[in-house]
Every structure is written in C-alpha cells, then in structure tokens.
Coordinates of all heavy atoms in Angstrom, one line a residue:
M304 N -49.9 -1.0 -54.1 CA -50.1 -1.5 -55.4 C -48.7 -2.0 -55.9 O -47.7 -1.3 -55.8 CB -50.5 -0.4 -56.3 CG -50.8 -0.8 -57.7 SD -51.5 0.6 -58.6 CE -50.5 0.5 -60.0
S305 N -48.7 -3.2 -56.4 CA -47.5 -3.8 -56.8 C -47.5 -4.0 -58.4 O -48.5 -4.4 -58.9 CB -47.3 -5.2 -56.2 OG -46.4 -5.9 -56.7
L306 N -46.4 -3.7 -59.0 CA -46.3 -3.8 -60.5 C -45.8 -5.2 -60.8 O -44.8 -5.7 -60.1 CB -45.4 -2.8 -61.0 CG -45.9 -1.3 -61.0 CD1 -44.8 -0.4 -61.5 CD2 -47.1 -1.1 -61.7
S307 N -46.3 -5.8 -61.8 CA -45.7 -7.1 -62.3 C -44.4 -6.7 -63.0 O -44.1 -5.6 -63.3 CB -46.7 -7.7 -63.3 OG -46.8 -7.0 -64.5
A308 N -43.7 -7.8 -63.4 CA -42.4 -7.6 -64.0 C -42.5 -6.9 -65.4 O -41.7 -6.0 -65.7 CB -41.7 -8.9 -64.2
T309 N -43.5 -7.2 -66.2 CA -43.7 -6.5 -67.5 C -44.1 -5.1 -67.3 O -43.7 -4.2 -68.0 CB -44.6 -7.3 -68.4 OG1 -45.9 -7.4 -67.7 CG2 -44.1 -8.7 -68.7
E310 N -45.0 -4.8 -66.3 CA -45.5 -3.5 -66.1 C -44.3 -2.6 -65.6 O -44.2 -1.5 -66.0 CB -46.6 -3.4 -65.1 CG -47.9 -4.0 -65.6 CD -49.0 -4.0 -64.5 OE1 -48.6 -4.5 -63.4 OE2 -50.1 -3.6 -64.8
A311 N -43.5 -3.2 -64.7 CA -42.4 -2.4 -64.2 C -41.4 -2.1 -65.3 O -40.8 -1.0 -65.3 CB -41.7 -3.2 -63.1
E312 N -41.2 -3.0 -66.2 CA -40.3 -2.7 -67.3 C -40.8 -1.6 -68.2 O -40.0 -0.8 -68.8 CB -40.0 -4.0 -68.2 CG -39.2 -5.0 -67.4 CD -39.2 -6.3 -68.2 OE1 -39.5 -6.3 -69.4 OE2 -38.8 -7.3 -67.7
S313 N -42.1 -1.5 -68.4 CA -42.6 -0.5 -69.3 C -43.0 0.8 -68.6 O -43.4 1.7 -69.3 CB -43.8 -1.1 -70.1 OG -44.9 -1.3 -69.1
A314 N -42.9 0.9 -67.3 CA -43.2 2.1 -66.6 C -42.3 3.2 -67.0 O -41.1 3.1 -67.1 CB -43.2 1.9 -65.1
P315 N -42.9 4.4 -67.4 CA -42.1 5.5 -67.8 C -41.0 5.9 -66.8 O -39.9 6.4 -67.2 CB -43.1 6.6 -68.1 CG -44.4 6.0 -68.2 CD -44.3 4.7 -67.4
A316 N -41.3 5.8 -65.5 CA -40.3 6.2 -64.5 C -39.0 5.4 -64.5 O -38.0 5.8 -64.1 CB -40.9 6.2 -63.1
D317 N -39.1 4.2 -65.2 CA -37.9 3.4 -65.3 C -37.1 3.7 -66.5 O -35.9 3.2 -66.6 CB -38.3 1.9 -65.3 CG -38.9 1.4 -64.0 OD1 -38.6 2.1 -63.0 OD2 -39.6 0.4 -64.0
D318 N -37.6 4.5 -67.4 CA -36.9 4.9 -68.6 C -35.9 5.9 -68.3 O -36.2 6.9 -67.7 CB -38.0 5.4 -69.6 CG -37.4 5.8 -70.9 OD1 -36.3 5.3 -71.3 OD2 -38.0 6.6 -71.6
E319 N -34.6 5.7 -68.7 CA -33.5 6.6 -68.4 C -33.8 8.0 -68.9 O -33.5 9.0 -68.2 CB -32.2 6.0 -68.9 CG -31.0 6.8 -68.4 CD -29.7 6.1 -68.7 OE1 -29.7 4.9 -68.9 OE2 -28.7 6.8 -68.9
E320 N -34.3 8.1 -70.1 CA -34.5 9.4 -70.7 C -35.6 10.2 -69.9 O -35.5 11.4 -69.6 CB -35.0 9.3 -72.2 CG -35.3 10.6 -72.8 CD -35.9 10.5 -74.2 OE1 -36.0 9.3 -74.7 OE2 -36.4 11.5 -74.7
F321 N -36.7 9.4 -69.5 CA -37.7 10.0 -68.7 C -37.1 10.6 -67.4 O -37.4 11.7 -67.0 CB -38.8 9.0 -68.4 CG -39.9 9.4 -67.6 CD1 -41.1 10.0 -68.2 CD2 -39.9 9.4 -66.2 CE1 -42.1 10.4 -67.4 CE2 -40.9 9.8 -65.4 CZ -42.1 10.3 -66.0
R322 N -36.3 9.8 -66.8 CA -35.7 10.2 -65.5 C -34.8 11.4 -65.7 O -34.7 12.3 -64.8 CB -35.0 9.0 -64.8 CG -35.9 7.9 -64.4 CD -35.2 6.7 -63.8 NE -34.4 7.0 -62.7 CZ -34.9 7.0 -61.4 NH1 -36.2 6.8 -61.2 NH2 -34.1 7.3 -60.4
D323 N -34.0 11.4 -66.8 CA -33.1 12.6 -67.0 C -33.9 13.9 -67.2 O -33.6 14.9 -66.6 CB -32.3 12.3 -68.3 CG -31.2 11.3 -68.0 OD1 -30.9 11.0 -66.8 OD2 -30.7 10.8 -69.0
R324 N -35.0 13.8 -68.0 CA -35.8 15.0 -68.2 C -36.5 15.4 -66.9 O -36.6 16.6 -66.6 CB -36.8 14.8 -69.3 CG -36.2 14.7 -70.7 CD -37.2 14.7 -71.8 NE -38.0 13.5 -71.7 CZ -39.1 13.3 -72.4 NH1 -39.6 14.3 -73.1 NH2 -39.8 12.2 -72.3
L325 N -36.9 14.5 -66.1 CA -37.6 14.8 -64.8 C -36.7 15.4 -63.8 O -37.0 16.2 -63.0 CB -38.3 13.5 -64.3 CG -39.2 13.6 -63.1 CD1 -40.4 14.5 -63.5 CD2 -39.6 12.2 -62.7
S326 N -35.4 15.0 -63.9 CA -34.4 15.4 -62.9 C -34.2 17.0 -63.0 O -33.8 17.6 -62.0 CB -33.1 14.7 -63.0 OG -32.5 15.1 -64.2
E327 N -34.5 17.6 -64.1 CA -34.3 19.0 -64.3 C -35.5 19.8 -63.8 O -35.4 21.0 -63.8 CB -34.1 19.3 -65.8 CG -32.9 18.6 -66.4 CD -31.5 19.0 -65.7 OE1 -31.4 20.2 -65.4 OE2 -30.7 18.1 -65.5
L328 N -36.6 19.2 -63.4 CA -37.8 19.9 -63.0 C -37.8 20.1 -61.5 O -37.1 19.5 -60.8 CB -39.0 19.1 -63.5 CG -39.1 18.9 -65.0 CD1 -40.3 18.0 -65.3 CD2 -39.3 20.2 -65.7
P329 N -38.7 21.1 -61.1 CA -38.8 21.4 -59.7 C -39.4 20.2 -58.9 O -40.0 19.3 -59.5 CB -39.7 22.6 -59.7 CG -40.4 22.6 -61.0 CD -39.5 21.9 -61.9
P330 N -39.2 20.2 -57.6 CA -39.7 19.1 -56.7 C -41.2 18.9 -56.9 O -41.7 17.7 -56.8 CB -39.4 19.5 -55.3 CG -38.2 20.5 -55.5 CD -38.4 21.2 -56.8
S331 N -42.0 19.9 -57.1 CA -43.4 19.7 -57.2 C -43.8 18.9 -58.4 O -44.7 18.0 -58.4 CB -44.2 21.1 -57.3 OG -43.7 21.8 -58.4
A332 N -43.1 19.1 -59.5 CA -43.3 18.3 -60.7 C -42.9 16.9 -60.5 O -43.6 16.0 -61.0 CB -42.6 18.9 -61.9
K333 N -41.8 16.6 -59.8 CA -41.4 15.3 -59.5 C -42.4 14.6 -58.7 O -42.7 13.4 -58.9 CB -40.1 15.3 -58.8 CG -38.9 15.8 -59.7 CD -37.7 15.9 -58.9 CE -36.6 16.6 -59.7 NZ -35.4 16.9 -59.0
L334 N -43.0 15.3 -57.7 CA -44.0 14.7 -56.8 C -45.3 14.3 -57.6 O -45.8 13.2 -57.5 CB -44.4 15.6 -55.6 CG -45.5 15.1 -54.7 CD1 -45.1 13.8 -54.1 CD2 -45.7 16.2 -53.6
V335 N -45.7 15.2 -58.5 CA -46.9 15.0 -59.3 C -46.7 13.8 -60.2 O -47.5 13.0 -60.4 CB -47.3 16.3 -60.1 CG1 -48.3 16.0 -61.2 CG2 -47.8 17.3 -59.1
A336 N -45.5 13.7 -60.8 CA -45.1 12.6 -61.7 C -45.2 11.3 -60.9 O -45.7 10.3 -61.4 CB -43.8 12.8 -62.3
K337 N -44.7 11.3 -59.6 CA -44.7 10.1 -58.8 C -46.1 9.7 -58.5 O -46.5 8.5 -58.5 CB -43.9 10.3 -57.5 CG -43.7 9.1 -56.7 CD -42.8 8.1 -57.5 CE -42.4 6.9 -56.7 NZ -41.7 5.9 -57.4
V338 N -47.0 10.6 -58.2 CA -48.4 10.3 -57.9 C -49.0 9.7 -59.1 O -49.8 8.7 -59.0 CB -49.1 11.6 -57.4 CG1 -50.6 11.3 -57.3 CG2 -48.6 12.0 -56.0
L339 N -48.8 10.3 -60.3 CA -49.3 9.7 -61.5 C -48.8 8.4 -61.9 O -49.4 7.5 -62.5 CB -49.1 10.7 -62.7 CG -49.9 12.0 -62.7 CD1 -49.5 12.9 -63.8 CD2 -51.4 11.7 -62.8
E340 N -47.5 8.1 -61.4 CA -46.9 6.8 -61.7 C -47.7 5.7 -60.9 O -47.9 4.6 -61.3 CB -45.5 6.8 -61.3 CG -44.8 5.5 -61.4 CD -43.3 5.5 -61.0 OE1 -42.9 6.5 -60.3 OE2 -42.7 4.5 -61.2
I341 N -48.1 6.1 -59.7 CA -48.8 5.2 -58.8 C -50.3 5.0 -59.1 O -50.8 3.9 -59.1 CB -48.6 5.6 -57.3 CG1 -47.2 5.6 -56.9 CG2 -49.5 4.8 -56.4 CD1 -46.8 6.3 -55.6
D342 N -50.9 6.1 -59.5 CA -52.3 6.1 -59.7 C -52.7 7.1 -60.8 O -52.6 8.3 -60.6 CB -53.1 6.4 -58.4 CG -54.6 6.3 -58.5 OD1 -55.1 5.6 -59.4 OD2 -55.3 6.9 -57.7
S343 N -53.1 6.6 -61.9 CA -53.5 7.5 -63.0 C -54.6 6.9 -63.8 O -54.7 5.7 -63.8 CB -52.4 8.0 -63.8 OG -51.9 6.9 -64.6
P344 N -55.4 7.6 -64.5 CA -55.4 9.0 -64.7 C -56.1 9.7 -63.5 O -56.9 9.1 -62.9 CB -56.2 9.2 -66.0 CG -57.1 8.1 -66.0 CD -56.4 6.9 -65.4
L345 N -55.7 11.0 -63.2 CA -56.2 11.8 -62.2 C -56.5 13.2 -62.7 O -55.8 13.7 -63.5 CB -55.2 11.8 -61.0 CG -54.9 10.5 -60.2 CD1 -53.8 10.8 -59.2 CD2 -56.2 10.0 -59.5
S346 N -57.5 13.8 -62.1 CA -57.8 15.2 -62.4 C -56.9 16.1 -61.6 O -56.2 15.6 -60.7 CB -59.3 15.5 -62.0 OG -59.4 15.5 -60.6
Q347 N -56.9 17.3 -61.9 CA -56.0 18.3 -61.2 C -56.4 18.3 -59.7 O -55.5 18.3 -58.8 CB -56.2 19.7 -61.8 CG -55.3 20.7 -61.2 CD -55.4 22.0 -61.8 OE1 -55.5 22.1 -63.0 NE2 -55.4 23.1 -61.0
G348 N -57.7 18.3 -59.4 CA -58.2 18.3 -58.0 C -57.7 17.0 -57.3 O -57.3 17.1 -56.1
E349 N -57.8 15.9 -58.0 CA -57.4 14.6 -57.3 C -55.9 14.6 -57.1 O -55.4 14.1 -56.1 CB -57.8 13.4 -58.2 CG -59.3 13.2 -58.3 CD -59.7 12.2 -59.4 OE1 -59.0 12.2 -60.4 OE2 -60.7 11.6 -59.2
L350 N -55.1 15.2 -58.0 CA -53.7 15.3 -57.9 C -53.3 16.2 -56.7 O -52.4 15.9 -55.9 CB -53.0 15.9 -59.1 CG -52.8 14.9 -60.2 CD1 -52.4 15.6 -61.5 CD2 -51.7 13.9 -59.9
A351 N -54.1 17.3 -56.5 CA -53.9 18.1 -55.3 C -54.2 17.4 -54.0 O -53.4 17.5 -53.1 CB -54.7 19.4 -55.4
E352 N -55.2 16.6 -54.0 CA -55.6 15.8 -52.8 C -54.5 14.8 -52.5 O -54.1 14.6 -51.4 CB -56.9 15.1 -53.0 CG -58.1 16.0 -52.9 CD -59.4 15.2 -53.1 OE1 -59.4 14.0 -52.9 OE2 -60.4 15.9 -53.6
E353 N -54.1 14.1 -53.5 CA -53.1 13.0 -53.3 C -51.7 13.5 -53.0 O -51.0 12.9 -52.2 CB -53.0 12.1 -54.6 CG -54.3 11.3 -54.9 CD -54.5 10.2 -53.8 OE1 -53.5 9.6 -53.4 OE2 -55.7 10.0 -53.5
S354 N -51.3 14.6 -53.6 CA -50.0 15.1 -53.3 C -49.9 16.1 -52.2 O -48.8 16.4 -51.7 CB -49.5 15.8 -54.6 OG -50.2 17.0 -54.8
L355 N -51.0 16.5 -51.7 CA -51.1 17.5 -50.6 C -50.5 18.9 -51.0 O -50.1 19.7 -50.2 CB -50.5 17.0 -49.3 CG -51.1 15.7 -48.7 CD1 -50.3 15.3 -47.5 CD2 -52.5 15.9 -48.4
L356 N -50.5 19.1 -52.3 CA -50.0 20.4 -52.8 C -51.2 21.3 -53.1 O -52.3 20.8 -53.5 CB -49.2 20.2 -54.1 CG -47.9 19.4 -54.0 CD1 -47.4 19.1 -55.4 CD2 -46.9 20.2 -53.3
P357 N -51.0 22.6 -53.1 CA -52.0 23.6 -53.5 C -52.4 23.4 -55.0 O -51.5 23.0 -55.8 CB -51.4 24.9 -53.2 CG -50.3 24.7 -52.3 CD -49.8 23.3 -52.6
D358 N -53.6 23.8 -55.3 CA -54.1 23.7 -56.7 C -53.1 24.4 -57.7 O -52.8 23.9 -58.7 CB -55.5 24.2 -56.9 CG -56.5 23.3 -56.3 OD1 -56.3 22.1 -56.1 OD2 -57.6 23.9 -56.0
R359 N -52.7 25.6 -57.3 CA -51.8 26.4 -58.1 C -50.5 25.7 -58.4 O -50.0 25.8 -59.5 CB -51.6 27.8 -57.5 CG -50.8 28.7 -58.3 CD -50.7 30.1 -57.6 NE -49.9 31.0 -58.4 CZ -49.6 32.1 -58.1 NH1 -49.9 32.6 -56.9 NH2 -48.8 32.9 -58.9
T360 N -50.0 25.1 -57.4 CA -48.7 24.4 -57.5 C -48.8 23.2 -58.4 O -48.0 22.9 -59.2 CB -48.2 24.0 -56.1 OG1 -48.1 25.1 -55.3 CG2 -46.8 23.3 -56.2
V361 N -50.0 22.5 -58.3 CA -50.2 21.3 -59.1 C -50.4 21.8 -60.6 O -49.8 21.1 -61.5 CB -51.5 20.5 -58.7 CG1 -51.9 19.5 -59.7 CG2 -51.3 19.9 -57.3
R362 N -51.1 22.9 -60.8 CA -51.2 23.4 -62.2 C -49.8 23.8 -62.8 O -49.5 23.5 -63.9 CB -52.1 24.6 -62.1 CG -52.6 25.1 -63.4 CD -53.8 26.1 -63.3 NE -53.7 27.1 -62.3 CZ -54.4 27.1 -61.1 NH1 -55.3 26.2 -60.9 NH2 -54.2 28.1 -60.2
Y363 N -49.0 24.4 -62.0 CA -47.6 24.8 -62.4 C -46.8 23.5 -62.7 O -46.2 23.4 -63.8 CB -46.9 25.6 -61.3 CG -45.5 25.8 -61.6 CD1 -45.1 26.7 -62.6 CD2 -44.5 25.1 -60.9 CE1 -43.7 27.0 -62.9 CE2 -43.1 25.4 -61.2 CZ -42.8 26.3 -62.2 OH -41.4 26.5 -62.5
A364 N -46.9 22.5 -61.8 CA -46.2 21.2 -62.1 C -46.7 20.5 -63.3 O -45.9 20.0 -64.1 CB -46.4 20.3 -60.9
L365 N -48.0 20.5 -63.6 CA -48.5 19.9 -64.8 C -48.1 20.7 -66.0 O -47.7 20.0 -67.1 CB -50.0 19.9 -64.7 CG -50.6 18.8 -63.8 CD1 -52.1 19.0 -63.6 CD2 -50.3 17.4 -64.2
N366 N -48.0 22.0 -65.9 CA -47.5 22.8 -67.1 C -46.1 22.4 -67.4 O -45.7 22.3 -68.5 CB -47.7 24.3 -66.8 CG -49.1 24.7 -67.0 OD1 -49.9 24.1 -67.7 ND2 -49.4 25.8 -66.3
R367 N -45.2 22.4 -66.3 CA -43.8 22.0 -66.5 C -43.6 20.6 -67.1 O -42.8 20.4 -68.0 CB -43.0 22.2 -65.2 CG -42.9 23.6 -64.7 CD -42.1 24.5 -65.6 NE -40.8 24.0 -66.0 CZ -39.7 24.2 -65.4 NH1 -39.7 25.0 -64.3 NH2 -38.6 23.7 -65.8
L368 N -44.4 19.7 -66.6 CA -44.4 18.3 -67.1 C -44.8 18.2 -68.5 O -44.2 17.5 -69.3 CB -45.2 17.4 -66.2 CG -44.6 17.1 -64.8 CD1 -45.7 16.5 -63.9 CD2 -43.4 16.1 -64.9
G369 N -45.8 19.0 -68.9 CA -46.3 19.1 -70.2 C -45.3 19.7 -71.2 O -45.2 19.2 -72.3
E370 N -44.6 20.7 -70.7 CA -43.5 21.3 -71.6 C -42.5 20.3 -71.9 O -41.9 20.4 -73.0 CB -42.9 22.5 -70.8 CG -43.8 23.7 -70.7 CD -43.2 24.8 -69.8 OE1 -42.1 24.6 -69.2 OE2 -43.9 25.8 -69.6
E371 N -42.2 19.4 -71.0 CA -41.2 18.3 -71.3 C -41.8 17.1 -71.9 O -41.1 16.1 -72.1 CB -40.5 18.0 -70.0 CG -39.7 19.1 -69.3 CD -38.5 19.4 -70.2 OE1 -37.9 18.5 -70.8 OE2 -38.1 20.6 -70.2
S372 N -43.1 17.1 -72.3 CA -43.8 16.0 -72.8 C -43.7 14.8 -72.0 O -43.6 13.6 -72.4 CB -43.2 15.7 -74.2 OG -43.3 16.8 -75.1
L373 N -43.8 15.0 -70.7 CA -43.8 13.8 -69.7 C -45.2 13.5 -69.3 O -45.4 12.4 -68.7 CB -42.9 14.2 -68.5 CG -41.4 14.5 -68.8 CD1 -40.7 14.9 -67.5 CD2 -40.8 13.2 -69.4
V374 N -46.1 14.4 -69.5 CA -47.5 14.1 -69.1 C -48.4 14.5 -70.2 O -48.2 15.4 -71.0 CB -47.9 14.8 -67.7 CG1 -48.0 16.3 -68.0 CG2 -49.1 14.3 -67.1
E375 N -49.5 13.7 -70.3 CA -50.5 14.0 -71.3 C -51.9 14.1 -70.6 O -52.0 13.6 -69.5 CB -50.6 12.9 -72.4 CG -49.3 12.8 -73.2 CD -49.3 11.7 -74.2 OE1 -50.3 10.9 -74.2 OE2 -48.3 11.5 -74.9
S376 N -52.9 14.6 -71.3 CA -54.2 14.7 -70.7 C -55.3 14.3 -71.8 O -55.0 14.3 -73.0 CB -54.4 16.2 -70.3 OG -54.5 17.1 -71.4
R377 N -56.4 14.1 -71.2 CA -57.6 13.8 -72.0 C -58.8 14.2 -71.2 O -58.7 14.4 -70.0 CB -57.7 12.3 -72.5 CG -57.8 11.4 -71.3 CD -58.2 10.0 -71.8 NE -58.1 9.0 -70.7 CZ -59.0 8.8 -69.7 NH1 -60.0 9.6 -69.6 NH2 -58.8 7.9 -68.8
Y378 N -60.0 14.3 -71.9 CA -61.2 14.6 -71.1 C -61.6 13.3 -70.3 O -61.5 12.2 -70.8 CB -62.3 15.0 -72.1 CG -62.0 16.4 -72.6 CD1 -61.6 16.6 -73.9 CD2 -62.3 17.5 -71.8 CE1 -61.3 17.9 -74.3 CE2 -62.0 18.8 -72.2 CZ -61.5 19.0 -73.5 OH -61.3 20.2 -74.0
S379 N -62.1 13.6 -69.2 CA -62.6 12.5 -68.3 C -63.8 11.8 -68.9 O -64.7 12.5 -69.4 CB -62.9 13.1 -66.9 OG -63.6 12.1 -66.1
F380 N -63.9 10.5 -68.8 CA -65.0 9.8 -69.2 C -66.2 10.0 -68.3 O -67.4 9.9 -68.6 CB -64.7 8.3 -69.4 CG -63.7 8.0 -70.4 CD1 -62.6 7.1 -70.1 CD2 -63.8 8.5 -71.7 CE1 -61.7 6.8 -71.1 CE2 -62.8 8.2 -72.7 CZ -61.8 7.4 -72.4
E381 N -65.9 10.2 -67.0 CA -66.9 10.4 -66.0 C -67.5 11.8 -66.0 O -68.7 12.0 -65.7 CB -66.3 10.1 -64.6 CG -65.9 8.7 -64.4 CD -65.1 8.5 -63.2 OE1 -64.9 9.4 -62.4 OE2 -64.6 7.3 -63.0
D382 N -66.7 12.8 -66.3 CA -67.2 14.2 -66.4 C -66.4 14.9 -67.5 O -65.2 15.3 -67.3 CB -66.9 14.9 -65.0 CG -67.5 16.3 -64.9 OD1 -67.9 16.8 -66.0 OD2 -67.5 16.8 -63.8
A383 N -67.1 15.1 -68.6 CA -66.4 15.7 -69.8 C -65.9 17.1 -69.6 O -65.2 17.7 -70.4 CB -67.3 15.6 -71.0
R384 N -66.3 17.8 -68.5 CA -65.9 19.1 -68.2 C -64.4 19.1 -67.6 O -63.8 20.1 -67.6 CB -66.8 19.8 -67.2 CG -68.2 20.0 -67.7 CD -69.1 20.5 -66.6 NE -69.2 19.4 -65.6 CZ -69.9 19.6 -64.5 NH1 -70.5 20.7 -64.2 NH2 -69.9 18.6 -63.6
K385 N -64.0 17.9 -67.2 CA -62.7 17.8 -66.5 C -61.7 17.1 -67.4 O -62.0 16.3 -68.2 CB -62.8 17.0 -65.2 CG -63.6 17.7 -64.1 CD -63.6 16.9 -62.9 CE -64.4 17.5 -61.8 NZ -64.3 16.7 -60.6
Q386 N -60.4 17.5 -67.2 CA -59.3 16.8 -67.9 C -58.7 15.9 -66.8 O -58.6 16.2 -65.7 CB -58.3 17.8 -68.4 CG -58.8 18.7 -69.4 CD -58.0 18.6 -70.7 OE1 -56.9 18.1 -70.7 NE2 -58.5 19.2 -71.7
V387 N -58.2 14.8 -67.3 CA -57.4 13.9 -66.4 C -56.0 13.7 -67.0 O -55.9 13.9 -68.3 CB -58.1 12.5 -66.3 CG1 -59.4 12.6 -65.4 CG2 -58.4 11.8 -67.6
Y388 N -55.1 13.5 -66.2 CA -53.7 13.5 -66.6 C -53.1 12.2 -66.3 O -53.4 11.5 -65.4 CB -52.9 14.6 -65.8 CG -53.5 16.0 -66.1 CD1 -54.5 16.5 -65.3 CD2 -53.0 16.8 -67.1 CE1 -55.1 17.7 -65.6 CE2 -53.5 18.0 -67.4 CZ -54.5 18.5 -66.6 OH -55.1 19.7 -66.9
Y389 N -52.1 11.8 -67.1 CA -51.4 10.5 -67.0 C -50.0 10.7 -67.6 O -49.8 11.6 -68.4 CB -52.1 9.4 -67.7 CG -52.5 9.7 -69.2 CD1 -51.6 9.2 -70.2 CD2 -53.6 10.4 -69.5 CE1 -51.9 9.5 -71.5 CE2 -53.9 10.7 -70.9 CZ -53.0 10.2 -71.8 OH -53.3 10.5 -73.2
L390 N -49.1 9.8 -67.2 CA -47.7 9.9 -67.7 C -47.7 9.5 -69.2 O -48.3 8.6 -69.6 CB -46.8 9.0 -66.9 CG -46.6 9.4 -65.5 CD1 -45.6 8.4 -64.8 CD2 -46.0 10.9 -65.4
A391 N -46.9 10.3 -70.0 CA -46.7 10.0 -71.4 C -45.9 8.7 -71.5 O -45.1 8.4 -70.7 CB -46.0 11.1 -72.1
D392 N -46.1 8.0 -72.6 CA -45.4 6.8 -72.9 C -44.0 7.0 -73.4 O -43.7 7.9 -74.0 CB -46.1 5.9 -73.9 CG -47.4 5.4 -73.3 OD1 -47.5 5.2 -72.1 OD2 -48.4 5.1 -74.1

C-alpha cells in the first residue's frame, strides 16, 4: 500500500509529537501502532493476527497506546459487539 503525498503528510506516524510519545512505549505498542498505520481500523483479534502477537499482549499494547491518546476505538459497523481501533489524529 502506497500513500499519496497528502496522506503521507497527514499520517500520525510522521508527526514529531506522535513519534516522541510512541518512543517511550514498549515494543509491542510500537508494533501495534505500525500495523494500525498500515491497515485500520482493526479489531483486537485482527491486530493479533496481523502482528503475530498474543491477544493479551495486543490488549496491553492497546491500553498503553490509549493512555497516551495515540489510539482511539469505536464499535464495528460489521459487528456491533466488537470494537475496532485506529490511530488518533
């Protein structure tokens, strides 16, 4: 997947403040953020599949990213029982 010039400029991972806050987090949170940068929104299960991390580790990473306000969630349009996650703006 290739980003256009305008998408690349607005991507949160290119934001210096975003990168500074992310640098303080554990490697699992960085990996989850990278997966969300490439493909989002994703459910916790999809994140575990894409990152090859255990469910518990993904849950921990999402909690840490949420504490830093780097990730947000909403209910899935496909299955209202699930939450999907995406990088905060």
Side-chain angles (χ1 to χ4, degrees):
M304 183 175 132
S305 167
L306 294 176
S307 71
T309 56
E310 287 175 313
E312 288 174 14
S313 65
D317 292 339
D318 182 22
E319 190 172 329
E320 179 188 353
F321 180 91
R322 292 176 63 85
D323 287 344
R324 289 190 292 165
L325 189 61
S326 70
E327 301 297 320
L328 296 177
S331 60
K333 293 174 187 171
L334 177 58
V335 167
K337 189 64 173 174
V338 170
L339 287 173
E340 180 184 7
I341 294 168
D342 187 21
S343 71
L345 294 173
S346 69
Q347 182 178 322
E349 292 168 330
L350 279 167
E352 284 178 28
E353 291 292 321
S354 66
L355 302 176
L356 294 171
D358 289 338
R359 184 175 179 187
T360 305
V361 170
R362 194 166 41 253
Y363 173 74
L365 288 170
N366 285 335
R367 291 298 307 271
L368 289 165
E370 289 170 2
E371 294 293 326
S372 301
L373 298 175
V374 72
E375 295 178 357
S376 66
R377 63 168 168 76
Y378 288 102
S379 171
F380 295 133
E381 296 170 4
D382 186 350
R384 296 172 296 175
K385 293 183 180 180
Q386 295 237 350
V387 291
Y388 300 88
Y389 55 95
L390 293 180
D392 293 333

